[in-house]
């Protein structure tokens, strides 16, 4: 899972909010996506110390973003392969399952 990964996302309806996150691996990218969600939860609930969530909550966060996709570098074709939010949700689930 040491394949360079770029996460492209748009956090609000404003097209100018489009941005990207750069990771050394798919695993780090999934950590980063979970971190985005956890930061949003903390911002929404500043008085709660330990926030817990279900995978369905993470999925809802990903689905509610105006846009999210990933580009994963493939050494065999020497190019980035695009993946949609369904792939991101599957990989995030697999990542969280390993951590549990």
């Amino acid at each position: 899972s040491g394949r360079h990964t770029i996460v492209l996302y748009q956090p609000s309806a404003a097209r100018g909010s489009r941005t990207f996150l750069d990771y050394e691996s798919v695993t780090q990218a999934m950590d980063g996506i979970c971190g985005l969600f956890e930061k949003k939860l903390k911002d929404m609930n500043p008085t709660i110390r330990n926030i817990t969530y279900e995978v369905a909550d993470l999925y809802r966060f990903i689905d509610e973003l105006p846009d999210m996709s990933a580009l994963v570098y493939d050494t065999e074709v020497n190019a980035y392969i695009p993946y949609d939010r369904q792939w991101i949700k599957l990989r995030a689930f697999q990542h969280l399952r390993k951590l549990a």
Side-chain angles (χ1 to χ4, degrees), residues 32-72:
I33 290 168
C34 291
L36 287 173
F37 177 56
E38 291 164 6
K39 182 183 181 324
K40 181 179 179 183
L41 289 176
K42 287 177 186 173
D43 290 346
M44 292 170 51
N45 303 284
T47 59
I48 300 175
R49 284 188 66 127
N50 294 319
I51 296 175
T52 59
Y53 60 89
E54 302 288 323
V55 171
D57 300 321
L58 176 62
Y59 286 179
R60 194 172 313 104
F61 166 75
I62 292 170
D63 285 335
E64 288 174 355
L65 289 170
D67 193 20
M68 179 175 259
S69 59
L71 299 170
V72 180

